[in-house]
Amino acid sequence: MPREHSRAFAPGRVNLIGEHTDYNRGLSLPFAIAAGVTVRAEALAPGAGGEQRIEALASDLGERDEFPLAAPAPAEGWRAYVRGIVAELARAGWPLVGARLQISGGVPPGAGLSSSAALEVALCLALIDLASPEEAGAQRERLERTELARLCARVENEWVGAQTGLLDQLASLYGSVEEALRIDFSTLEITPVPLRLGGWRAVVLDSGEPHVHASSGYNQRRAECARACELLGVESLREAFPDDVRRLPEPLARRVAHVIGENERVRLAVSALRADDLPAVARLLNASHASLRDDYEVSTPALEAAVARLLAGGAAGARLIGGGFGGSVLGLLAPGLDPPAGAREVRPGPGAHLVND
Ligand code: GLA
């Protein structure tokens, strides 16, 4: 039996380290944050002709959308996510019912904290729970969550035009309190790693430059990695070795050097966290940023300025997070230091869940 209404929350994420590795079947270490998107879904009676509709209201933007449940047409902006999720859930065989959706959120769009993944995931959970609450219980299981992450990534790829990987969605779906997630994108194995910060603080600072995947250099970087794979005769850069870098022309050589180095930095960061060695984690953040700036070339003057502000404010390590080309930077502050003006503290929080009362 469908419910009358359902409410779901999905968090944004901060990636501690392991950037531009997800679509290269590499390693990442993200955590879910407290800020996220809430979707309230209310069952909507069919129209006079029996047609089921979706009405959506983006509360923070004061914008709305309306479309037939059976045939969502492509759209721009936030509407592309809503229509894409509805279409892909239906295509995957999830039973859906007409609904009025109210979307509200505390993840600033464009800040590089995955407001879009949070929106996709919250929509999925609310729509599934509204139509079939018993399924919504089952989807807590691992396989279903990973399937949902894939479905959300298809929406990014096919409805929004961003060739993103699974990092943001998996982080939002699997997030857990006081833990980061080591994700191996070659197997999709997810291993929680305790994030014991002690007196240290993780802070994010918005560069003020909005980050938009579809129109940034993100898709181009992805294409460069695919080209490097072709030239090396491998299926993914996970199979590339440091020696391979010399066989590639520029800029592909530097792109591959970043990916190989970044995977190694994730391994080292996991070991450092297990040993409570936060200074080592901070040094790895700096190394990751240098690689993203010099080899992967996804930094911008605004991101550099934000990193410089965090370091000047006493951060032991700082780096751009997410796809780059705008968005936020992450810094690690040693005990006793206050976050610089404009920076806000982030802590690992729970993954996506229903919040029905
Ligand atoms: C964005 C994408 C992710 C990932 C990161 C870079 O956040 O959505 O899939 O590729 O960039 O690590």
Side-chain angles (χ1 to χ4, degrees):
M1 275 293 289
R3 284 184 194 276
E4 276 172 28
H5 51 80
S6 173
R7 194 197 305 256
F9 168 82
R13 62 95 189 93
V14 159
N15 191 14
L16 193 58
I17 199 158
E19 220 66 89
H20 288 278
T21 46
D22 61 347
Y23 54 85
N24 288 308
R25 295 201 202 155
L27 301 170
S28 294
L29 193 58
F31 59 90
I33 57 177
V37 172
T38 300
V39 171
R40 183 180 190 279
E42 186 187 325
L44 198 59
E51 192 197 45
Q52 304 237 52
R53 303 188 64 74
I54 297 285
E55 283 177 24
L57 173 71
S59 309
D60 303 341
L61 301 171
E63 291 177 2
R64 64 187 302 284
D65 192 19
E66 192 175 341
F67 56 92
L69 174 63
E76 297 291 314
W78 67 274
R79 294 179 179 87
Y81 294 96
V82 181
R83 293 176 178 216
I85 289 292
V86 169
E88 293 298 327
L89 282 173
R91 189 147 77 117
W94 290 98
L96 297 178
V97 293
R100 179 175 291 129
L101 305 171
Q102 215 177 327
I103 301 162
S104 52
V107 197
L113 303 177
S114 277
S115 55
S116 55
L119 171 60
E120 294 151 17
V121 169
L123 282 166
C124 282
L125 296 198
L127 283 164
I128 291 173
D129 184 53
L130 186 70
S132 40
E134 59 291 355
E135 289 293 349
Q139 53 74 24
R140 288 197 190 96
E141 284 165 31
R142 194 187 130 66
L143 198 69
E144 296 262 321
R145 290 225 156 194
T146 302
E147 268 320 302
L148 284 185
R150 284 206 178 92
L151 188 147
C152 293
R154 272 204 299 284
V155 171
E156 293 272 0
N157 299 169
E158 289 165 28
W159 288 77
V160 181
Q163 300 306 311
T164 53
L166 290 174
L167 169 71
D168 310 334
Q169 293 81 7
L170 287 176
S172 182
L173 281 156
Y174 283 96
S176 107
V177 181
E178 303 300 320
E179 284 176 332
L181 307 167
R182 178 195 189 272
I183 307 179
D184 183 334
F185 290 93
S186 66
T187 56
L188 292 187
E189 187 187 355
I190 300 177
T191 315
V193 179
L195 193 50
R196 288 180 296 261
L197 289 170
W200 286 69
R201 293 189 200 190
V203 297
V204 287
L205 178 64
D206 192 341
S207 70
E209 185 176 18
H211 147 91
V212 187
H213 281 136
S215 56
S216 72
Y218 186 94
N219 289 353
Q220 188 197 350
R221 290 295 174 277
R222 209 171 157 154
E224 287 169 348
C225 291
R227 178 73 188 128
C229 285
E230 259 171 46
L231 292 175
L232 294 174
V234 293
E235 274 209 4
S236 79
L237 292 184
R238 189 65 179 275
E239 296 160 48
F241 292 99
D243 276 356
D244 291 332
V245 172
R246 273 187 256 118
R247 295 167 45 207
L248 291 167
E250 287 298 354
L252 303 188
R254 276 178 300 134
R255 306 293 188 252
V256 175
H258 165 75
V259 173
I260 294 175
E262 190 74 352
N263 285 336
E264 185 55 19
R265 283 185 285 274
V266 173
R267 290 188 191 97
L268 294 170
V270 169
S271 305
L273 282 180
R274 292 204 164 117
D276 292 322
D277 187 352
L278 273 306
V281 176
R283 285 193 296 276
L284 289 164
L285 295 195
N286 288 332
S288 170
H289 184 73
S291 177
L292 287 160
R293 180 191 60 214
D294 302 335
D295 284 346
Y296 220 67
E297 295 184 286
V298 294
S299 191
T300 62
L303 283 167
E304 289 307 309
V307 165
R309 269 180 57 199
L310 285 184
L311 294 175
R319 67 175 203 86
L320 72 88
I321 51 172
F325 302 105
S328 292
V329 300
L330 167 72
L332 266 188
L333 292 169
L337 288 173
D338 286 328
R344 53 192 189 120
E345 190 168 358
V346 281
R347 296 194 149 271
H353 52 274
L354 295 170
V355 278
N356 291 324
D357 11 72

